[in-house]
Amino acid sequence: MNEAFFPAFFNSFFIGFGVMIGGTLIGGLASFITGQPLLTEISRISSTLRIWAIIAAIGGTFDTVYSFEKGFLDGGTKDIVRQFLLILSAMGGANSASIIISWLTQEHVQ
């Protein structure tokens, strides 16, 4: 059962956002427990977690690859555009969370 486009678009954004925020906070907790610098580790985890947040938001890579294949081979450009916009939404959510994390940690300030 396919989800309508706009709910999937917003879900993709907020799943990417939530994976970034939640993953960095839990990773920061682990760094605090192990005695590492908290804000530095949160910033580092945020930069490495971004691609995984995007992959989690689009629901794994195989569905996306199948949709691209269907679009190219069957001539369904609607599927290609839909998947591109969902990936773009997931990237926007992950980037928004990354910006908020960098504001909170202030690791970019020298």
Side-chain angles (χ1 to χ4, degrees):
M1 185 170 161
N2 285 338
E3 188 177 12
F5 175 71
F6 284 111
F9 187 79
F10 287 113
N11 283 341
S12 180
F13 179 88
F14 285 109
I15 290 171
F17 185 86
V19 167
M20 282 292 293
I21 295 291
T24 55
L25 290 179
I26 297 298
L29 179 65
S31 69
F32 177 74
I33 291 170
T34 59
Q36 297 174 351
L38 178 66
L39 296 179
T40 303
E41 287 299 311
I42 285 177
S43 180
R44 186 190 62 78
I45 291 169
S46 170
S47 65
T48 60
L49 190 64
R50 186 176 298 151
I51 187 67
W52 297 109
I54 295 168
I55 290 172
I58 61 173
T61 57
F62 294 114
D63 293 335
T64 304
V65 171
Y66 177 71
S67 293
F68 276 122
E69 176 189 9
K70 182 179 170 185
F72 282 124
L73 297 180
D74 294 341
T77 56
K78 181 180 175 182
D79 292 328
I80 294 174
V81 171
R82 175 188 162 107
Q83 287 302 316
F84 177 74
L85 290 175
L86 290 177
I87 292 170
L88 195 64
S89 173
M91 289 173 65
N95 193 39
S96 298
S98 180
I99 288 171
I100 290 172
I101 290 165
S102 71
W103 284 343
L104 293 174
T105 60
Q106 295 293 312
E107 284 295 316
H108 64 281
V109 177
Q110 295 184 11

